[in-house]
Amino acid sequence: MQDAWEQAFALMADHGQMGACEIVASGMQKSPPEKPEQYRQWELLADCLNAVADASRTKH
């Protein structure tokens, strides 16, 4: 899971939060049905990006 976080932050650093979300969504859509592990990797990145988005909306 640590690797997924590092990848998610690298995507956000390179493309911004919205760009990273677009890349992950595209990857999920393009994952072939016969390769569920590939889809799961994109899903982990999406989970990380969603957690970042949720945290950024939370007021302390």
Side-chain angles (χ1 to χ4, degrees):
M1 183 69 167
Q2 180 67 27
D3 189 44
W5 278 105
E6 290 172 4
Q7 290 176 356
F9 282 117
L11 279 172
M12 286 190 292
D14 291 344
H15 304 283
Q17 188 173 352
M18 191 65 154
C21 290
E22 291 171 356
I23 290 168
V24 170
S26 176
M28 290 174 83
Q29 290 175 345
K30 293 177 183 176
S31 292
E34 64 274 3
K35 294 189 177 180
E37 70 282 351
Q38 185 179 351
Y39 182 85
R40 182 65 186 136
Q41 290 174 344
W42 287 112
E43 195 173 43
L44 283 172
L45 288 174
D47 290 345
C48 294
L49 293 173
N50 284 332
V52 170
D54 289 345
S56 69
R57 286 190 294 265
T58 303
K59 297 191 187 241
H60 297 279

